[in-house]
């Protein structure tokens, strides 16, 4: 019994240490959050897609975390493929807040027909992510300048 208790305590200490230990610089962590989010969208994994989104998300269009969840579930069901190409043009970090300006192109496929959902050939779209540092990682608290389109390829 005592041995089991010590094993459980050791596991808790290791897990807590991993969660509290800084994993790279803030810039590296933000870049990883963006990369993981894009990869999760491409794989149509709702959990990974929403992981970097704050539960307190609220933007100027009135979208909330739950609204984004609903939209992404419908998007994943509607399109057979989603491909995201992006670059981070500017990343500014001030204390526990950050702003990331991205250029990106999103191509979706439905019924074997591809189309641009964001950006177009040779002209990527732009958006700005506002992030806040949480206890465990950086979270997206708002998306600005998002202009979706639908341009068949």
């Amino acid at each position: 019994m005592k041995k089991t208790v010590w094993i459980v305590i050791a596991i808790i200490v290791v897990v807590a240490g991993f969660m509290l230990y800084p994993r790279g610089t803030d810039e590296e962590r933000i870049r990883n959050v963006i990369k993981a989010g894009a990869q999760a969208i491409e794989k149509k994994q709702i959990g990974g897609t929403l992981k970097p989104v704050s539960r307190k998300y609220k933007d100027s269009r009135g979208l909330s975390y739950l609204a984004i969840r609903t939209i992404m579930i419908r998007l994943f069901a509607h399109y057979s493929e989603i491909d995201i190409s992006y670059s981070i043009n500017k990343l500014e970090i001030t204390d526990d807040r950050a702003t990331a300006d991205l250029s990106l192109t999103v191509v979706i496929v439905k019924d074997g027909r591809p189309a641009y959902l964001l950006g177009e050939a040779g002209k990527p779209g732009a958006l700005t992510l506002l992030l806040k540092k949480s206890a465990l990682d950086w979270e997206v608290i708002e998306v600005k300048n998002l202009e979706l389109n639908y341009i068949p390829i």
Side-chain angles (χ1 to χ4, degrees):
M1 176 73 174
K2 289 183 181 181
K3 187 176 183 179
T4 305
V5 170
W6 283 110
I7 290 172
V8 169
I9 291 172
I11 290 171
I12 290 170
V13 168
V14 169
V15 169
F18 175 75
M19 291 174 65
L20 298 174
Y21 180 75
R23 298 169 309 275
T25 66
D26 284 334
E27 181 175 343
E28 291 169 337
R29 291 172 66 194
I30 291 169
R31 288 181 183 279
N32 287 337
V33 163
I34 294 169
K35 180 179 179 181
Q39 289 173 340
I41 292 170
E42 288 181 327
K43 293 176 183 175
K44 297 170 39 168
Q45 297 172 335
I46 194 67
T49 298
L50 295 174
K51 185 178 178 186
V53 178
S54 171
R55 297 267 180 177
K56 296 177 182 177
Y57 181 97
K58 191 76 168 177
D59 66 23
S60 60
R61 295 179 185 192
L63 292 178
S64 65
Y65 175 89
L66 290 176
I68 290 172
R69 183 179 188 278
T70 301
I71 290 167
M72 295 309 294
I73 288 171
R74 289 180 182 164
L75 186 79
F76 292 165
H78 196 69
Y79 299 110
S80 60
E81 293 177 44
I82 303 170
D83 182 49
I84 300 174
S85 300
Y86 73 92
S87 64
I88 301 172
N89 301 326
K90 184 177 172 186
L91 182 56
E92 291 182 356
I93 304 167
T94 307
D95 300 323
D96 68 341
R97 302 282 178 153
T99 303
D101 292 329
L102 282 71
S103 293
L104 69 160
T105 304
V106 178
V107 176
I108 44 95
V109 177
K110 182 178 181 184
D111 299 329
R113 293 177 290 185
Y116 289 102
L117 186 61
L118 184 62
E120 56 186 280
K123 186 180 175 191
L127 66 83
T128 300
L129 298 177
L130 303 181
L131 301 104
K132 183 176 182 185
K133 192 176 199 176
S134 70
L136 299 177
D137 217 340
W138 287 86
E139 296 179 328
V140 176
I141 57 172
E142 187 175 354
V143 175
K144 291 186 172 188
N145 308 323
L146 177 62
E147 298 295 330
L148 299 177
N149 54 14
Y150 186 87
I151 303 171
I153 299 177

